[in-house]
Every structure is written in C-alpha cells, then in structure tokens.
Amino acid sequence: MRRANRLLSVHLVLTLLFLYAPIMAMVVLSFNESGLPTTWSGLSLKWYKKLLSNGAILGPLLNTLIVAVAAALLSTVVGTMLALSVSKIRSSPLINGFLYMPMVIPDILLAVALLSFFALIGFPLGLPTVIIAHVVFCIAFVTAVVRTRLEGFDYSLVEASIDLGASRWRTFWRVMVPALLPGIIGGALLSFTLSFDEFVIASFTAGPSNTAQTLPMKIYSMLRFGITPDINALATVTIFTSFMLVLLAQRFNKTTI
C-alpha cells in the first residue's frame, strides 16, 4: 500500500509538471530582459511597461473584456432563469439534450450557424454579434452549474416563506438567490473564462472590420510574424488575475455554504 501511494504521488507530480511547466516557462520569460526564449539576460519589467503602451494589443484586450463581462452577465441571468424553469418540470433525456447541445456541438458548427443566422436577418456584424454569440455559447454551461446547485435545494424553505406572508418575488430574492449564489457565481466565472478564451465563434461573428477584434483573434494573427515578448507579460497578468478570481470564488463558496 505504501509503495502504491508513492507511485500515485509521483504520478501526481509528473502530471502537474506536464500541465503547468509550459505556463511557468512563459511566466519566467515575461521577466527576461532579452525577450528571447533561448537567452537569459536578467530580470526586467520592461515588457510589462511596453505592454501598457502597445495599442495594438490593448484595443483587442478591451474588446475581449467588454465581450466577456457582457456575455457573463447576460448568460448568467438567462442560464439561471432557464435552470429554475427546467427544475419545475420532469427531467428527460430530450430536454437535457436540447439544453446541453451547445456544450457538445463543435465550435465551428455553432459559429457557421450563428453567422448564417445574422446574415439571414440582416444584422450587421460587430461587437454586439460577438456578445450575442458568446451568450448563446455560455448559457448551457451556466444552466448546468445552477441545476447542480438546485439538486440539493430544499423547496420547503420556499413554501415556509410564502406561508409566512412573503411574496414570491421576495421569496426568490431572500431565499432562493442566497442558496443558489455559489452556483450563480461559479457559472458567471465559467462564462467569463470561456468567453475570454473563445476564438472560433468570435472570428466568424466579428465581421471584416478590426474594430471588433478580440485578443485571441489578435494573438492568432500575430502568429504569422512571431509572438512578441509583451504577449508573455499579458498572459502572465491574465493567469494571475484568473488565479485570484478562483481563490475569491472558493473563499466565497466556503463562507456561503
């Protein structure tokens, strides 16, 4: 048994190294004075300073943040309402299939379908179409997370609140929302992450103009000429921010449950 535990520990360490070694290498290179992956010339913050003055990257980054925040907010509201609606009816494989289909459909198919739909109704492509497309993509994930939270919800609390004279609207805000809040926050964070990272759907629905270009689209276009070191700095800041958001979400869940 002791030998098996050691083997499992070694397997865990090797797996974590396999997953995070490239990320750690990128973080280290963001502080490299030379900016070359093959030469280390000392610690420096010049790539972070250069990032702050690089309008070619900050513009798409701002678009990405706008799209991610808007998609997270809208998909969280719609997905939570959808989860509450589905919880009132008897679950079936057909309903679950329709709800979770956007999660399993290849991104390229969903992107082509959304582009065809916008062209059919004559909706001009731009930042609004990217937001709508990301909301469509993220709703299923929010619904899945909130439905998982609803499985352990005690509906007798709702009946008790109504019996004590509270309206359904007041019961929803004072009883159901606090109980579902960890799932709602988890769905919002998941939607933000998925939208921030999404490339295929955004590239199809952004249109030919660069005004709606997102950060993943910009980085992909830069691959033809080579990634500049300030991209490593941007990725490091993004990873650190994501890590802090996960810690805050975990802290919030621990204090709420």
Side-chain angles (χ1 to χ4, degrees):
M1 181 63 69
R2 187 174 300 175
R3 184 179 179 183
N5 290 335
R6 289 179 181 175
L7 289 176
L8 288 176
S9 300
V10 172
H11 177 266
L12 174 63
V13 172
L14 292 177
T15 303
L16 292 177
L17 285 175
F18 180 77
L19 290 174
Y20 291 103
I23 297 177
M24 294 306 300
M26 180 186 63
V27 172
V28 172
L29 288 175
S30 69
F31 296 98
N32 187 7
E33 172 73 24
S34 67
L36 300 175
T38 56
T39 304
W40 178 263
S41 58
L43 293 173
S44 175
L45 295 176
K46 75 173 186 178
W47 303 117
Y48 291 88
K49 296 178 182 178
K50 184 178 179 181
L51 175 65
L52 295 176
S53 59
N54 193 340
I57 295 178
L58 294 181
L61 175 61
L62 179 60
N63 288 340
T64 301
L65 291 175
I66 293 174
V67 171
V69 171
L73 292 175
L74 293 175
S75 61
T76 299
V77 173
V78 177
T80 301
M81 295 297 102
L82 183 59
L84 291 171
S85 302
V86 173
S87 67
K88 300 297 182 181
I89 61 177
R90 187 173 183 179
S91 180
S92 67
L94 182 62
I95 294 177
N96 292 335
F98 276 111
L99 284 176
Y100 302 139
M101 189 179 297
M103 299 171 62
V104 298
I105 290 179
D107 289 355
I108 185 69
L109 297 182
L110 186 59
V112 172
L114 289 167
L115 176 61
S116 301
F117 175 75
F118 290 137
L120 180 64
I121 64 176
F123 199 92
L125 299 180
L127 212 58
T129 55
V130 177
I131 294 174
I132 295 172
H134 281 200
V135 171
V136 173
F137 175 67
C138 294
I139 284 176
F141 294 92
V142 177
T143 303
V145 174
V146 177
R147 282 189 74 185
T148 303
R149 186 72 182 177
L150 276 170
E151 291 179 357
F153 181 72
D154 186 5
Y155 284 94
S156 62
L157 297 176
V158 176
E159 298 174 358
S161 177
I162 295 175
D163 290 340
L164 291 174
S167 63
R168 293 188 177 274
W169 186 250
R170 189 178 183 86
T171 299
F172 172 75
W173 282 108
R174 294 296 184 90
V175 178
M176 296 198 70
V177 170
L180 299 178
L181 196 56
I184 294 174
I185 294 177
L189 291 175
L190 180 60
S191 299
F192 180 87
T193 304
L194 291 172
S195 178
F196 192 94
D197 183 59
E198 218 292 314
F199 165 74
V200 176
I201 296 177
S203 63
F204 272 75
T205 56
S209 175
N210 289 333
T211 57
Q213 189 180 47
T214 61
L215 186 61
M217 296 169 58
K218 178 63 178 179
I219 294 177
Y220 182 78
S221 65
M222 293 173 62
L223 288 175
R224 295 174 296 176
F225 309 102
I227 296 295
T228 57
D230 46 347
I231 292 296
N232 294 332
L234 175 61
T236 302
V237 173
T238 303
I239 291 171
F240 176 77
T241 304
S242 302
F243 182 72
M244 295 304 298
L245 288 175
V246 171
L247 286 182
L248 288 175
Q250 293 294 326
R251 179 77 176 181
F252 184 84
N253 287 348
K254 187 180 296 185
T255 57
T256 303
I257 296 176

